Amino acid sequence: MGNELGTIIEDKLREKGWSVSRFTVESGISAELIATLIGPAQLPCMPDERTLSSLAKALGLTYRELVVAAAVACGLPKNQEGEPTFVLRFVTNQELVNELRRRLMRGRQTADPQQRRMAHLALMQSALAVDSEAEAS
């Protein structure tokens, strides 16, 4: 069973009649990276901005759609409207980090290029901190 982002990618490829090799040409994303996005049941970390932008352009989807799908693929649950959700009563540290990522990504939508770079840097630092905590455990 794949993840939310992988399901969207696979559905769009079927809809377009594209193979993975055709998709790599259209998107400029390596087959290995596509496999890491489609394969696992949950993504270990949020894909970077360039990857999500390339996916959005090649698949004819909005960047926001793919950010939401990637957030869900990273483990953030969805509400009835299909948006990632967050409940403070039952949070773990990982869920707090995931919510921070989601909010940073949402803020990037309306930010100027410098603010977008800063938000992306914050996302990457957050992901690295979580990775180092996981390795320490």
Side-chain angles (χ1 to χ4, degrees):
M1 183 169 132
N3 60 65
E4 182 88 6
L5 181 61
T7 300
I8 288 174
I9 293 169
E10 289 176 326
D11 289 348
K12 285 305 263 186
L13 291 181
R14 260 192 301 282
E15 182 182 303
K16 290 177 174 283
W18 289 357
S19 64
V20 172
S21 59
R22 166 91 188 266
F23 185 49
T24 60
V25 171
E26 297 292 332
S27 66
I29 298 172
S30 71
E32 294 81 19
L33 179 54
I34 292 169
T36 63
L37 297 175
I38 292 174
Q42 184 170 336
L43 296 180
C45 63
M46 189 77 167
D48 64 34
E49 179 180 11
R50 186 188 78 67
T51 300
L52 291 173
S53 294
S54 296
L55 288 172
K57 184 177 178 183
L59 296 173
L61 298 169
T62 66
Y63 180 77
R64 183 183 187 289
E65 286 176 279
L66 292 181
V67 168
V68 169
V72 172
C74 287
L76 201 61
K78 293 190 300 186
N79 63 18
Q80 292 176 347
E81 292 79 33
E83 293 289 326
T85 172
F86 190 66
V87 179
L88 286 176
R89 287 188 289 179
F90 307 106
V91 300
T92 64
N93 286 340
Q94 182 60 48
E95 289 169 326
L96 286 171
V97 169
N98 289 342
E99 177 63 6
L100 173 62
R101 287 179 185 155
R102 184 183 74 79
R103 289 182 183 208
L104 286 169
M105 293 303 293
R106 182 187 295 168
R108 286 176 37 186
Q109 303 287 319
T110 58
D112 66 59
Q114 179 63 27
Q115 288 174 322
R116 287 184 201 163
R117 283 190 291 279
M118 294 301 292
H120 186 70
L121 177 61
L123 281 170
M124 294 309 296
Q125 288 173 334
S126 171
L128 291 172
V130 168
D131 289 346
S132 65
E133 286 177 16
E135 289 175 6
S137 299

